[in-house]
């Protein structure tokens, strides 16, 4: 009997036309995530099987891999008759303590001589005969014994570990996540990854007004996101000159509106350059002055690419809860300043007008400044085990 990890993929089966692409992507993602760990990844119609000696380490990685619906740690035996399955099963049950049980069989090989129901009842009877003081309970058993009869092999497993669900990262293309050091944008990124979107991130920094610590905080957030996708690229944009030009020239109440329009323009350009089909950010309706519907529309109108806002309609408490569950919260609340929190006016406009925004923007030669900022981009590929961050270009 060989101990083995069984992977089931859920939502994938609904994507009939693309199924091969989805499976290949999931398999590539698993291979990438398990890099450095000795393993074999075997695909067999509707299932993936991982052979390895590092069960805990591999399982911990698989539970963070999108596209996986369920993980089972089980045992593979050669194709054989019910008596032989029963005797192998007794071996496995030797160390297990249980009073009630149920046998659940799935027979994908319809040529097997017994139906699933017959296997259930024969193995059930076999266990009752050979193990003292146990009973069958089909509704609420202490031990569920799962048998899968496939074409070449038979699998036995007990525990079912829920997978994270979603689509394999990359199956829906790439998106550019505006990643700040706040609570919202890493959660937005996580939700986009879950829908199968591979992320590139853009971070706007304003040295010397923002520090190296603030940048490292963002890279640490990207590192957490990379655990769900193998790696994440972060493009760091020096925003200092643009922010200073805004500060010097733009009426105070429009500073934030225009700053965000600049961020959108740069994000869209960077998205095009890197083959991303959408921008993703952590905006949440009503959270701050720049996130009223009027503000969002005046900011959004400077670009044409779709903007996904996965947390747009979440309460802050819901976002916080999610950020704790994905382990970004503790990093997000580290107290380093963000470029949005410097030069903040007391009364930013809540209902900006686009004609005014356009008029004010003429006061700065922003196209040149944007070009320069993009020319100086620093790109860092962040991976889950990375210790030190450095530019890859
Ligand atoms: P918080 O969790 O405190 O709200 P935040 O990062 O969401 O922090 P907001 O001012 O609400 O900050 O910004 C809205 C969105 O704009 C962010 O979620 C993020 O997607 C984007 N953004 C803000 N600042 C930056 C930045 N410095 N670099 C990249 N994206 C940013
Ligand atoms: Mg926010």
């Amino acid at each position: 009997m060989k101990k083995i990890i069984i992977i089931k993929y859920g939502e994938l089966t609904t994507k009939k036309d693309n199924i091969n692409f989805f499976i290949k992507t999931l398999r590539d993602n698993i291979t990438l995530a398990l890099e450095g760990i000795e393993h074999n990844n075997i695909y067999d119609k509707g299932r993936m099987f991982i052979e390895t000696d590092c069960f805990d380490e591999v399982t911990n990685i698989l539970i963070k891999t999108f596209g996986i619906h369920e993980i089972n740690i089980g045992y593979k035996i050669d194709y054989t008759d019910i008596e032989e399955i029963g005797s192998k099963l007794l071996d496995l049950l030797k160390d297990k303590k249980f009073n009630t049980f149920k046998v659940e069989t799935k027979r994908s090989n319809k040529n097997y001589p017994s139906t699933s129901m017959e296997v259930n009842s024969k193995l059930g009877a076999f266990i009752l005969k050979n193990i003292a003081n146990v009973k069958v309970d089909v509704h609420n058993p202490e031990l569920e014994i799962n048998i899968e009869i496939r074409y070449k092999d038979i699998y036995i497993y007990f525990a079912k570990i829920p997978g994270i669900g979603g689509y394999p990262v990359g199956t829906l293309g790439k998106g550019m996540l505006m990643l700040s050091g706040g609570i919202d944008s890493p959660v937005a990124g996580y939700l986009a990854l879950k829908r199968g979107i591979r992320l590139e991130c853009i971070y706007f920094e304003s040295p010397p007004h923002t520090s190296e610590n603030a940048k490292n905080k963002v890279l640490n957030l990207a590192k957490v996101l990379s655990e769900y996708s193998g790696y994440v690229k972060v493009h760091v944009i020096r925003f200092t000159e643009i922010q200073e030009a805004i500060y010097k020239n733009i009426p105070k109440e429009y500073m934030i509106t225009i700053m965000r329009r600049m961020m959108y323009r740069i994000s869209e350009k960077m998205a095009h350059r890197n083959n991303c089909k959408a921008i993703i950010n952590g905006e949440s309706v009503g959270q701050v002055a720049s996130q009223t519907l009027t503000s969002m529309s005046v900011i959004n109108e400077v670009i044409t690419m779709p903007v996904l806002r996965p947390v747009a309609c979440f309460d802050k408490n819901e976002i916080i809860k999610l950020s704790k569950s994905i382990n970004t919260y503790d990093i997000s609340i580290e107290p380093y300043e963000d470029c949005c929190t410097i030069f903040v006016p007391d009364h930013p406009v809540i209902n900006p007008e686009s004609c005014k925004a356009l008029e004010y923007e003429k006061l700065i030669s922003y196209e040149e400044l944007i070009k320069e900022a993009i020319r100086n981009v620093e790109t860092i590929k962040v991976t889950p085990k990375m210790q030190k961050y450095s530019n890859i270009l």
Side-chain angles (χ1 to χ4, degrees), residues 178-185 202-204 260 263 280-283 287-288 291 316 338-340:
M178 298 170 69
L179 182 63
S180 65
I183 295 169
D184 306 328
S185 50
I202 185 163
Y203 166 58
F204 298 91
R260 295 196 61 78
M263 282 186 174
I280 300 145
N281 68 34
E283 287 173 348
Q287 200 178 80
V288 287
Q291 290 164 31
K316 191 76 189 187
D338 179 69
C339 72
C340 285

Coordinates of all heavy atoms in Angstrom, one line a residue, residues 178-185 202-204 260 263 280-283 287-288 291 316 338-340, ligand 1:
M178 N -3.3 47.5 -7.6 CA -2.7 48.7 -6.9 C -2.5 48.3 -5.5 O -3.5 48.2 -4.7 CB -3.6 49.9 -7.1 CG -3.8 50.3 -8.5 SD -5.2 51.5 -8.7 CE -4.4 52.9 -8.0
L179 N -1.3 48.0 -5.1 CA -1.1 47.4 -3.7 C -0.4 48.5 -2.8 O 0.7 49.0 -3.1 CB -0.1 46.2 -3.8 CG 0.2 45.5 -2.5 CD1 -1.0 44.9 -1.9 CD2 1.2 44.4 -2.7
S180 N -1.2 48.9 -1.8 CA -0.6 49.9 -0.9 C -0.3 49.1 0.4 O -0.5 47.9 0.4 CB -1.7 50.9 -0.6 OG -2.8 50.3 0.1
G181 N 0.1 49.8 1.4 CA 0.3 49.1 2.7 C -0.9 48.9 3.6 O -0.8 48.5 4.7
G182 N -2.1 49.3 3.0 CA -3.3 49.3 3.8 C -3.9 47.9 4.0 O -3.3 46.9 3.6
I183 N -5.1 47.9 4.6 CA -5.7 46.6 4.8 C -6.5 46.1 3.6 O -6.5 44.9 3.3 CB -6.7 46.7 6.0 CG1 -6.0 47.1 7.3 CG2 -7.6 45.5 6.2 CD1 -6.8 47.5 8.5
D184 N -7.0 47.0 2.8 CA -8.0 46.7 1.8 C -7.3 46.0 0.5 O -7.8 45.0 0.0 CB -8.8 47.9 1.3 CG -9.4 48.6 2.5 OD1 -9.8 47.9 3.4 OD2 -9.6 49.8 2.5
S185 N -6.2 46.6 0.1 CA -5.7 46.2 -1.2 C -5.2 44.7 -1.2 O -5.4 44.0 -2.2 CB -4.7 47.2 -1.9 OG -3.8 47.5 -0.9
I202 N 1.4 47.1 -8.4 CA 2.0 48.4 -8.6 C 2.0 49.1 -7.3 O 0.9 49.1 -6.6 CB 1.4 49.2 -9.8 CG1 2.2 50.5 -10.0 CG2 -0.1 49.5 -9.5 CD1 1.9 51.1 -11.4
Y203 N 3.1 49.6 -6.9 CA 3.2 50.4 -5.6 C 3.8 51.7 -5.8 O 4.8 51.9 -6.5 CB 4.0 49.6 -4.6 CG 4.4 50.4 -3.3 CD1 3.4 50.9 -2.5 CD2 5.7 50.6 -3.0 CE1 3.7 51.7 -1.4 CE2 6.1 51.4 -1.9 CZ 5.1 51.9 -1.1 OH 5.4 52.7 0.0
F204 N 3.1 52.8 -5.3 CA 3.6 54.1 -5.5 C 4.3 54.6 -4.2 O 3.6 54.6 -3.1 CB 2.4 55.1 -5.8 CG 1.7 54.8 -7.1 CD1 0.6 53.9 -7.1 CD2 2.2 55.3 -8.3 CE1 0.0 53.6 -8.3 CE2 1.5 55.0 -9.5 CZ 0.5 54.1 -9.5
R260 N -5.0 60.6 -7.4 CA -5.5 59.3 -7.8 C -5.7 59.1 -9.3 O -5.5 58.1 -9.9 CB -6.8 59.0 -7.0 CG -6.5 58.9 -5.5 CD -7.6 58.2 -4.7 NE -7.8 56.9 -5.1 CZ -7.1 55.8 -4.8 NH1 -6.0 56.0 -4.0 NH2 -7.3 54.6 -5.2
M263 N -2.4 58.1 -10.4 CA -2.1 56.7 -10.1 C -2.8 55.8 -11.1 O -2.3 54.8 -11.6 CB -2.7 56.4 -8.7 CG -1.8 56.8 -7.6 SD -2.6 56.2 -6.1 CE -1.3 56.6 -4.9
I280 N -6.9 46.2 -10.6 CA -7.6 45.8 -9.4 C -7.2 46.7 -8.2 O -6.0 47.0 -8.1 CB -7.2 44.3 -9.0 CG1 -7.5 43.4 -10.2 CG2 -7.9 43.8 -7.7 CD1 -6.6 42.2 -10.4
N281 N -8.1 47.1 -7.4 CA -7.7 47.9 -6.3 C -8.6 47.6 -5.1 O -9.6 46.9 -5.2 CB -7.5 49.4 -6.6 CG -8.8 50.1 -6.9 OD1 -9.9 49.7 -6.3 ND2 -8.8 51.0 -7.8
G282 N -8.2 48.3 -3.9 CA -9.0 48.0 -2.7 C -10.0 49.1 -2.4 O -10.3 49.3 -1.2
E283 N -10.5 49.8 -3.4 CA -11.4 50.8 -3.1 C -12.7 50.2 -2.5 O -13.2 49.2 -3.0 CB -11.7 51.7 -4.3 CG -10.6 52.6 -4.7 CD -10.8 53.3 -6.0 OE1 -11.7 52.9 -6.8 OE2 -10.0 54.2 -6.3
Q287 N -15.8 54.7 1.8 CA -14.8 54.6 2.9 C -14.1 56.0 3.2 O -13.9 56.4 4.3 CB -13.7 53.6 2.5 CG -13.0 53.1 3.7 CD -12.0 52.0 3.3 OE1 -10.9 52.3 2.8 NE2 -12.3 50.7 3.5
V288 N -13.7 56.7 2.1 CA -13.1 58.0 2.3 C -13.6 58.9 1.1 O -14.3 58.4 0.3 CB -11.5 57.9 2.2 CG1 -10.9 57.3 3.4 CG2 -11.1 57.1 0.9
Q291 N -13.7 57.9 -2.4 CA -14.4 56.7 -2.7 C -15.9 56.9 -2.7 O -16.7 55.9 -2.4 CB -13.9 55.5 -1.9 CG -12.5 55.1 -2.3 CD -11.8 54.3 -1.3 OE1 -12.4 53.5 -0.6 NE2 -10.5 54.4 -1.2
K316 N -16.0 47.5 6.4 CA -14.6 47.4 6.8 C -14.3 46.2 7.7 O -13.3 45.5 7.6 CB -14.2 48.7 7.6 CG -12.7 48.8 7.9 CD -12.0 49.3 6.6 CE -10.5 49.2 6.8 NZ -9.7 49.8 5.7
D338 N 2.1 56.0 4.2 CA 1.8 55.7 2.8 C 1.8 57.0 2.0 O 1.6 58.1 2.6 CB 0.5 55.0 2.6 CG 0.2 54.7 1.2 OD1 0.9 53.8 0.7 OD2 -0.7 55.3 0.6
C339 N 2.1 57.0 0.7 CA 2.1 58.3 0.0 C 0.7 59.0 0.0 O 0.6 60.1 -0.2 CB 2.6 58.1 -1.4 SG 1.4 57.3 -2.5
C340 N -0.4 58.2 0.3 CA -1.7 58.8 0.3 C -1.9 59.5 1.6 O -2.8 60.3 1.8 CB -2.8 57.7 0.2 SG -3.0 57.1 -1.4
Ligands
LIG1 P1 -6.9 51.3 4.1 O1 -6.9 49.8 4.3 O2 -6.3 52.0 5.2 O3 -8.1 51.9 3.5 P2 -5.9 51.5 1.5 O4 -4.7 51.0 1.0 O5 -7.2 50.9 1.1 O6 -5.8 51.5 3.0 P3 -7.0 54.0 0.4 O7 -6.6 55.3 0.6 O8 -8.4 53.5 0.8 O9 -6.0 53.1 1.1 O10 -6.8 53.7 -1.2 C1 -7.7 53.0 -2.0 C2 -6.9 52.0 -2.9 O11 -6.0 52.7 -3.8 C3 -6.1 51.0 -2.2 O12 -6.8 50.0 -1.7 C4 -5.1 50.7 -3.2 O13 -5.6 49.7 -4.1 C5 -4.8 52.0 -4.0 N1 -3.7 52.7 -3.4 C6 -3.6 53.6 -2.4 N2 -2.4 54.0 -2.2 C7 -1.6 53.3 -3.0 C8 -0.1 53.2 -3.2 N3 0.7 54.0 -2.5 N4 0.3 52.4 -4.1 C9 -0.5 51.6 -4.8 N5 -1.9 51.6 -4.7 C10 -2.4 52.4 -3.8

